[in-house]
Amino acid sequence: VGRIVHAIFSDGKGPSPVRPNIDDVEKDVRDSVDADDGAGGEGRRRRQKTKRRKGNYISNDGSSTFSFSSLLEGGDFPISVCRLISDMMVTPLEAATPRMGSSTPADEEREGGSSVDARDGVDPRNGDRDDDQDDNPFSSLDDVTRDLERMVDDPRTFLYDPEGGDFCSNLRFGRQGYYGRTRELRQFLDAATAERKKKDDDNSVARVDVIFVSGAAGSGKSHFVRNATEVLLRPGEYHNDGTMVLEAKFKRGSEYESQDILSSLFERLVSNIVSMSDDKGGSRRVSGNGNDGGEDEAEYGHRAARAVRETIDPAGLASLARFVPGIWKLFRKESDGDKERPHEASPPPVIGVAGAKAAENDSNQDSNASHWRLVFLLSGLLGAVLGLGRRVVICLDDLQWCDSTTSRLITEILISVSQRQEAMTEGGGGGRKSNQLLFVGMTRDNEMNNHPFTYQLVTLKKCISIDVAEIKLSILSKEDVVDMISYQFRLPRRLVRELAKEVHQKTSGHALFVVQLLNSLVQDSTISYSPLKRRYNWNIRRISALRTNDGVASLIVSNLSLLKPRLLRCLMILSCLGMQSDLSLIRILDRESPSTLSPQGGIESFLPGLVERGVLDMPGHSSSVIFSHDLIQQHIYDSIPEEERRMLHYGIGTFLGSTTTLDSTSHKSSIEGCVDQLYLSDASSTTNSMAKPLSLVFIAADQINAAGPEFIREHAQQTRFAGWNLHTANRAAEASNFQAALYHYGNGIDYLRGGLWLGDSTYQLCKELHEGAVIASFALGDAAGVERFANAIINNVPFEDSLVAQTLLIRSMKSSGNYAETIARGLAVLRMLKIDIPSAPSPMTIMQSMCSTGKITSQYTSSQITNLKQTSINARKRNILKIADAVTVASYREASPYLPLVACAMVTYSLQNGVVEESATAFVVYGYFKVFMSEDFEEGRRWGDIALKILDSSYAFTSMTLYGFLLFWFIPHREVSSILHGTYEAGMKVGDVDNATYSLCLSLRFSFFAGEKLSILSRSYDKVLSVIAKYNPECLKFCLIDSLVVDGLRGEDNCRFAAFEGRFQDENVLLADAKYRYHNQGVEAICLRRFFSAFWKGNYKEARKWVEAASSLPSYKMPKVQLIHHTFYRGLIAFQLYREGEGENWLEEGEKVLSKMELWLNNSKVIFESKLYLIEAEHYASMCNIVAAKESYELSAKAARDHALVHEQGLAYEVSTCCISFDQV
């Protein structure tokens, strides 16, 4: 033992860098004892010469040698060493020696920790001891070893004397430090760093680490994660210098604020980068991998800003600013050169025209597009920061109170970031690290049944680029409580084990209960500091006899019931404000509120005492006050009688409302200008100057809503507060927080529930609340909400006043896939708007509509039409075009005969009322039917070119239909494939994943018909099928069918149907499903797939069967790229069957195809030249003109080679060989 103590102090400052070998010391002691025993017991006799007197060993001459007080007075040792030496001398050594190594903490637990002190027979649990006594002496040398090990391992806590007076007078559990749960902590650290450890040996590792920590309320999840994160940030094994930690906590009962909370998290990310950029000292230099020679903070901040701008274009930044208004701060200095000026939240010149345009284009997006656009932008922002080598840790607490929309958003962001990082790694990534994101979510497991995040967790586990770990925090073990008390008291475990046992029994190991009970024992001086013993002391019998409450809630409430009335009033007001309150808000209440609301002396004056009691917390230099746990806030709130609680909310709300402009503006508030937008705010609406009034407006409205409509009985007051909710809802919508907007619109409607649609002064207010609710429901993808609120408007207002609701209801039906209902309702509304659309479509009515529209369009040149383009039109005209647009999409999906009729009507309407970007879709469809019905390719191309000039490139549907179904007649397939892939990327950026994935599917289809290598196509399908399965299950069917052609030609079976996760086992099941749902396009796609496969395998009769099946469907003749190729192949089959003696009708069919190719050659030489030559050659061969046939075969092969159509070149050689061989036979 002396060797160990010497090692601790050998350097005069602290523990030796070389740790003593405890086993060697124990061996020396054993050898010494054995030697004494072997010497005839002389050693025992020498030891027995000492006598025990009052806990001190006294030598024969009576001088005191090793008492605690005498050692302490000497000043040579810290208190802990004095205690250790004196306690060692209490118990005779021979009592310790036989039990050496036999005693363990478990032994002591079984013994009850109540060993009787040999000195005077006093049970150590008896608190009536002499203050000069040192209790709980060592029972074995193992206890000494454990004490010494703790001193060596953590000298600051267990060796050195405490510094300052706080330890003696200001003890509070739960304030700092974390003890116990070592197994869970190791699990957390392993999960957070496992990928780092694997990456050196394995490249196929997860790119994002996700950890979910669950447990009961008060089990210590937040404290555990905070401690584990701090361990990660400490220099050493886990440290990543420059790590950014972002934290947020969702609120009970305020699920509608979930998006705001997530937005604030990304605001902090941007704020951190801005702060780094502003670091002028440049003194701190760090590197993402922890190596020396890194960059300073300012360098990193500027690099991060550049990375964000390189990742997200101006249009994307303009949209992102609606969710993260501070994003512009990253570019303020860049835009202003080297000028020194404060960062602002308003858009800098970097936005440009494209960015301004994006703000308008957001109005064309439905909820699904809005969601995916936000996913793309936020993952781009996060990915740009992660790509610079510094780790980001995101901690989200109380996910059980996160709404379903935000839960889905979080999941998709994590998946998107992981896939971006994976792509970066596969592409080389410029040496960037790929595993820099750690996401930690905390949940209450007893509140997660059927919660949306439980389903999102399943999605995350399926993602191969994400590593998910789950940690469940159970109750604290006895040893955890021992650790907690030991560290807080700076005492060895042996001295606190009795106390820990009692606390654990009374709290059942509930973490918050443990902390609250210990703090209550400190506050009532049951546990107090003893100056004589230089440590905390307690009466174990008194604690054992304490009667505790049934649970933590009862304990909290019982402790608070002892508070003075003014303190309780403060807590009640704060609990009504929620978990957290800004000091500025508290000061407003103290300074200006009526005396009946705020207690005498003001709330702020009572805060220090409440913080001292552990009820509240004011972390660091925070400008806010927070309850130390949400259970405390909840139980204080629940303890207020209901009527008194409503009155408190009402008083707070009306007072705060009186300090704002709510009453003067709410009656003027309007949602005009909000109707068409999902992202409505400009960045200037969230500048610092606006933060305070906006927050007061929302707090005031929330307080009134907490009081409830049933509490407000006066009609005038009900109307007043309905206006407040309209005002706050519109402000939330302007910030793109449609969850909060819908909450406030709904509350406003509830306040008018007793007098809706009365035709009085509340009529306009009622209409605007319902319109706002329709808009918010549409933005959230809540089809049921759209239908409910829209029908309320439609049934109670004149038709012209219901146009907004009608438009959004129709668009919602289309977004939900209810295409038949979309067509029916859309046509009914258009007819009521005097848009002439025949009610009974037939070939005759379609031809008449095309002819009459042709007469009108013939009066305009292309330049005249494009010159009619307007930068803006009124809301009524735009709504008409949006209804027509929804009907057009639905008609296309349904292959409805109304498609050309709607297109003709909208072409005429646009020419008469002004051409806008929404007109482009009608122009494309009109041109499409010009080709389809009369093969007027010239006119079709004209309208395609007009659409190109007015087209908004971000609108994927119009771009997809323009190139995929019209301009492919004139542009080489390889070029169309490239354009459509660009449409896919552009569509994904704006969140239009539906049409983007269809564009990707078409892109691969055009690549196939352009002669791309089958091996390349196979690998492409391997990658894109999972992407399409995620975003567009309906499109997946078409893409998978196309991939089967490639697999069949390569002789492979790649198990593509696994993408359907068991819904469709093979193509036959898919075909049966399409027939059952009368999905003509699906049936046609399968028939044509089988036709192409049979043709390329030379099985012409099988091919003939499937093309006949396809040709019986109404969608067969609608122009698409397959039409060119199956017509071409049918011509080859027809001539082949004719030469095989199948009949003259095959010669006639072949000649029809020849005529088609001669006509189509005028559209594109690249596409049709080799096809025409090959069909000519087959015709010559059928006419036995072998010389002409050989020449045409050669011309076909040459044309195919010149146009890089290698598959058609091979086909020409194959067919010519067969023909010549047949002629020779």
Side-chain angles (χ1 to χ4, degrees), residues 79 870 897:
I79 296 171
Q870 300 177 1

Side-chain angles (χ1 to χ4, degrees), residues 108-130:
E108 296 176 26
E109 291 292 346
R110 286 192 293 272
E111 295 166 10
S114 57
S115 57
V116 177
D117 193 323
R119 294 173 294 180
D120 52 17
V122 176
D123 189 328
R125 284 175 295 185
N126 188 342
D128 300 327
R129 301 188 184 93
D130 257 288

Side-chain angles (χ1 to χ4, degrees), residues 483-522:
D483 269 343
M484 177 188 295
I485 300 174
S486 173
Y487 273 90
Q488 288 288 138
F489 288 168
R490 306 170 72 108
L491 289 175
R493 294 167 61 89
R494 61 187 172 84
L495 296 182
V496 302
R497 193 176 297 280
E498 289 284 339
L499 174 61
K501 177 183 176 183
E502 290 293 341
V503 170
H504 189 271
Q505 286 178 343
K506 294 180 182 300
T507 61
S508 300
H510 188 286
L512 181 61
F513 202 171
V514 168
V515 170
Q516 291 292 319
L517 177 59
L518 286 169
N519 282 332
S520 69
L521 294 175
V522 172

Side-chain angles (χ1 to χ4, degrees), residues 21-51:
N21 189 321
I22 301 296
D23 294 335
D24 289 346
V25 176
E26 290 185 352
K27 184 177 183 301
D28 290 345
V29 175
R30 288 191 183 94
D31 291 345
S32 174
V33 172
D34 291 343
D36 285 345
D37 290 343
E42 185 65 26
R44 274 195 306 277
R45 286 191 293 274
R46 284 198 300 270
R47 288 193 299 275
Q48 290 169 353
K49 290 180 181 179
T50 57
K51 297 179 182 179

Side-chain angles (χ1 to χ4, degrees), residues 734-880:
E734 290 173 358
S736 300
N737 188 353
F738 290 99
Q739 194 74 46
L742 182 59
Y743 168 80
H744 287 289
Y745 286 129
N747 276 293
I749 292 171
D750 287 341
Y751 275 104
L752 297 179
R753 189 65 65 188
L756 291 172
W757 312 110
L758 295 180
D760 58 6
S761 59
T762 65
Y763 173 83
Q764 184 63 24
L765 176 61
C766 184
K767 174 177 172 290
E768 291 190 7
L769 283 167
H770 279 84
E771 281 188 349
V774 174
I775 295 168
S777 298
F778 178 75
L780 294 169
D782 180 5
V786 172
E787 183 177 8
R788 181 172 71 256
F789 293 117
N791 283 332
I793 296 173
I794 293 167
N795 296 333
N796 290 282
V797 305
F799 172 75
E800 284 292 334
D801 291 345
S802 71
L803 191 54
V804 171
Q806 299 275 14
T807 302
L808 290 174
L809 179 57
I810 293 167
R811 293 176 67 188
S812 176
M813 289 176 174
K814 185 263 294 182
S815 299
S816 302
N818 298 324
Y819 298 129
E821 294 179 36
T822 303
I823 296 168
R825 190 171 198 114
L827 291 175
V829 172
L830 290 174
R831 290 180 184 125
M832 293 178 71
L833 291 166
K834 311 302 182 186
I835 306 296
D836 184 20
I837 300 175
S839 58
S842 65
M844 182 62 69
T845 56
I846 293 173
M847 288 297 299
Q848 289 173 348
S849 293
M850 292 292 293
C851 290
S852 60
T853 304
K855 290 178 182 179
I856 296 173
T857 58
S858 64
Q859 301 172 20
Y860 298 86
T861 64
S862 297
S863 59
Q864 286 176 329
I865 295 174
T866 54
N867 289 337
L868 290 174
K869 184 178 179 181
Q870 300 177 1
T871 56
S872 63
I873 57 175
N874 63 41
R876 185 180 187 276
K877 293 179 181 178
R878 192 174 293 276
N879 280 323
I880 290 173

Side-chain angles (χ1 to χ4, degrees), residues 1002-1022:
L1002 286 174
S1003 174
L1004 291 173
R1005 184 179 296 170
F1006 275 93
S1007 290
F1008 172 76
F1009 288 120
E1012 182 60 84
K1013 290 182 178 179
L1014 296 179
S1015 59
I1016 294 176
L1017 282 171
S1018 181
R1019 289 196 298 270
S1020 297
Y1021 279 115
D1022 288 340

